[in-house]
Amino acid sequence: MKGRLSRHEYTVTEVRQIHDLPIPELVFRAQGVHREHHPPTEMQLCSLLSVKTGGCPEDCAYCTQSSRYDTGLERQRMMKPPEVLEAAARAKAAGASRFCMGAAWREVKDGPAFDDVLQMVRGVRGLGMEACCTLGMLTEDQAKRLAEAGLTAYNHNLDTSRSYYKSIITTRTYDDRLRTLENVRKAGITVCCGGIIGMGESIDDRCGMLATLANLDPQPESVPVNALATMPEGIRTALSDRPPVDPLELVRMIATARILIPKARVRLSAGRDAMTREAQVLCFLAGANSIFYGEKLLTTGNPDVEADQGLLRDAGMRATELAEAQLAGQGGE
Ligand code: SAM
Ligand code: DTB
Ligand code: SF4
């Protein structure tokens, strides 16, 4: 909450002291924080859909959808609200409680495409699901219109530290990102903000990003931790040659995020399809309580629905019920 009496501003050094703890100490501390704030066996299942794919003018080096690189991804026309709502209904029937719609835009432009997105948001809320969008930069007025349509959350990632950011994206700044997050916050929409590891950044960069996230006031309600997506499907990015992320590094990021941002949903995001079940369960123990659910993320693969249902069952965990999602989503209206 704004105006907290003794708000602590984290430094990179402090975050690093947590991040570098021996894993048994780190996970033990994270579990303690997790249990204080969340039911430890409950997992939010969130389905993703790319409603406008490819042809993006930005130069994000990690992204398959940037038109600045030859990624081999086929550009697709923008989907219409009825098609999107059919996909949302299918996701709901499969057990998802949140539906996130992504568009390969630099920023939202007012006009028919944005009006369609507003209709999609109203439709998803009408299904009783939480609705999330990730559409690039937003003005204050656009955020307000999304809030009026019932949007629960807006995803806009910091991606990495302020200093490494310039090596990954040159077409918009870190401050642009922070401004959009502020507009989302002012409109009363919950903030989903995290980043990616495995892009060649240092451990200090990772901890710097976590410090910035933890120092946001209020802190984000949702923190996605992505491993740079590996692309067996043949599509590429400017960073495709990076070695794969060691899952223990994701465990460290998740546990540290859990300790620093206790109330957030920490989301084990891109990268699960390259992980064993055991590594994923270790991430759950470290405090991850949300996953993307469904065969596809935006353009790359994700474990299939049966595999995830089996994983939750065998781990003795359960998916967030729709009714709980509705209650949680009320804050965003
Ligand atoms: N165009 C909008 C934007 O960039 O804000 C929304 C879509 S964008 C694909 C959403 C986020 O997905 C990015 O900020 C990034 O953190 C994540 N992402 C994109 N490509 C990824 C990849 N190859 N691996 C991991 N995460 C990725
Ligand atoms: C986030 O942090 N991860 C999701 C969601 N927010 C939009 C996207 C992951 C994208 C992975 C690469 C792809 O599928 O294109
Ligand atoms: Fe465009 Fe978003 Fe991909 Fe960047 S991450 S290239 S803004 S779709």
Side-chain angles (χ1 to χ4, degrees):
M1 251 169 48
K2 243 191 167 90
R4 254 181 286 173
L5 280 181
S6 56
R7 210 189 129 69
H8 182 72
E9 289 280 317
Y10 288 98
T11 62
V12 177
T13 314
E14 284 170 328
V15 174
R16 195 113 196 214
Q17 276 163 2
I18 300 172
H19 177 278
D20 290 354
L21 282 170
I23 289 218
E25 296 292 352
L26 179 63
V27 172
F28 180 75
R29 275 187 62 180
Q31 255 293 304
V33 175
H34 191 119
R35 283 166 179 272
E36 236 178 84
H37 296 275
H38 305 271
T41 58
E42 184 241 294
M43 181 66 60
Q44 182 194 49
L45 303 182
C46 170
S47 287
L48 256 179
L49 180 67
S50 179
V51 302
K52 192 268 168 187
T53 306
C56 183
E58 298 291 274
D59 69 352
C60 313
Y62 50 73
C63 189
T64 58
Q65 305 196 70
S66 166
S67 58
R68 307 286 183 113
Y69 310 106
D70 174 22
T71 66
L73 182 79
E74 204 182 310
R75 185 184 173 149
Q76 278 160 26
R77 64 160 182 85
M78 171 130 177
M79 292 176 77
K80 291 286 169 211
E83 297 172 79
V84 172
L85 295 180
E86 266 170 44
R90 276 197 303 275
K92 175 180 168 179
S97 59
R98 175 143 151 163
F99 193 70
C100 179
M101 294 159 278
W105 289 334
R106 167 183 166 75
E107 69 218 313
V108 169
K109 295 203 175 79
D110 294 321
F114 185 43
D115 294 342
D116 276 358
V117 170
L118 296 172
Q119 204 179 321
M120 293 168 195
V121 170
R122 282 189 287 267
V124 170
R125 292 316 309 274
L127 290 168
M129 304 174 87
E130 292 188 9
C132 174
C133 280
T134 179
L135 313 168
M137 293 188 282
L138 281 186
T139 65
E140 211 178 320
D141 181 63
Q142 289 162 341
K144 220 171 106 217
R145 291 180 68 198
L146 283 165
E148 280 160 11
L151 189 71
T152 314
Y154 195 80
N155 168 244
H156 199 61
N157 289 339
L158 288 178
D159 284 344
T160 187
S161 68
R162 183 182 278 276
S163 59
Y164 198 64
Y165 184 89
K166 300 186 250 330
S167 328
I168 299 296
I169 302 156
T170 68
T171 48
R172 63 178 164 194
T173 66
Y174 216 61
D175 288 318
D176 288 333
R177 297 237 171 199
L178 291 166
R179 209 164 303 121
T180 292
L181 293 172
E182 233 176 81
N183 291 339
V184 170
R185 186 54 86 195
K186 275 193 222 148
I189 300 169
T190 67
V191 169
C192 172
C193 184
I196 309 176
I197 65 169
M199 306 188 293
E201 72 288 337
S202 66
I203 304 295
D204 271 357
D205 286 316
R206 295 178 187 178
C207 292
M209 177 184 81
L210 288 175
T212 308
L213 290 171
N215 290 339
L216 289 175
D217 185 15
Q219 293 188 324
E221 285 80 4
S222 160
V223 178
V225 177
N226 295 278
L228 181 67
T230 51
M231 285 139 195
E233 299 91 347
I235 41 176
R236 299 170 296 279
T237 68
L239 296 176
S240 287
D241 293 339
R242 290 272 160 210
V245 168
D246 177 343
L248 290 184
E249 299 186 34
L250 277 171
V251 171
R252 287 191 178 282
M253 285 297 283
I254 287 169
T256 310
R258 169 55 66 223
I259 292 165
L260 299 177
I261 314 176
K263 292 192 192 141
R265 280 211 182 262
V266 177
R267 199 173 295 275
L268 171 58
S269 303
R272 281 200 308 119
D273 61 343
M275 289 168 77
T276 63
R277 283 161 38 114
E278 295 83 344
Q280 294 180 62
V281 170
L282 192 46
C283 289
F284 303 161
L285 282 174
N289 59 354
S290 180
I291 52 174
F292 285 118
Y293 176 65
E295 277 75 16
K296 217 168 176 192
L297 293 167
L298 291 172
T299 65
T300 65
N302 197 42
D304 61 33
V305 159
E306 289 74 29
D308 279 342
Q309 285 174 350
L311 175 60
L312 289 188
R313 187 190 56 236
D314 295 345
M317 298 178 74
R318 68 181 180 90
T320 312
E321 306 277 338
L322 222 50
E324 296 170 44
Q326 269 171 313
L327 281 177
Q330 274 168 7
E333 285 193 29

